[in-house]
């Protein structure tokens, strides 16, 4: 298994979206353009 691969679980609602990565870290972003830009930086 490649250890450089990271998986994300995403739950999107009207105001925010919650993200959990394969290491168990939790993040929450606003469901707008700025929130998606912050999420893309995480990726």
């Amino acid at each position: 298994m490649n250890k450089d691969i990271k998986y994300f679980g995403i739950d999107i609602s009207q105001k925010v979206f919650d993200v959990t990565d394969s290491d168990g870290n939790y993040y929450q972003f606003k469901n707008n353009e700025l929130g998606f830009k912050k999420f893309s930086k995480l990726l």
Side-chain angles (χ1 to χ4, degrees):
M1 184 171 171
N2 186 344
K3 294 186 182 222
D4 293 332
I5 295 176
K6 191 174 263 195
Y7 297 94
F8 294 91
I10 303 171
D11 180 30
I12 298 179
S13 67
Q14 185 174 2
K15 293 186 179 184
V16 297
F17 63 100
D18 302 310
V19 178
T20 304
D21 66 18
S22 54
D23 295 329
N25 299 312
Y26 170 79
Y27 308 91
Q28 188 176 71
F29 303 96
K30 290 186 179 182
N31 192 356
N32 59 23
E33 185 178 351
L34 181 60
F36 280 93
K37 284 182 180 181
K38 288 181 179 181
F39 176 58
S40 68
K41 289 181 183 180
L42 175 67
L43 296 177

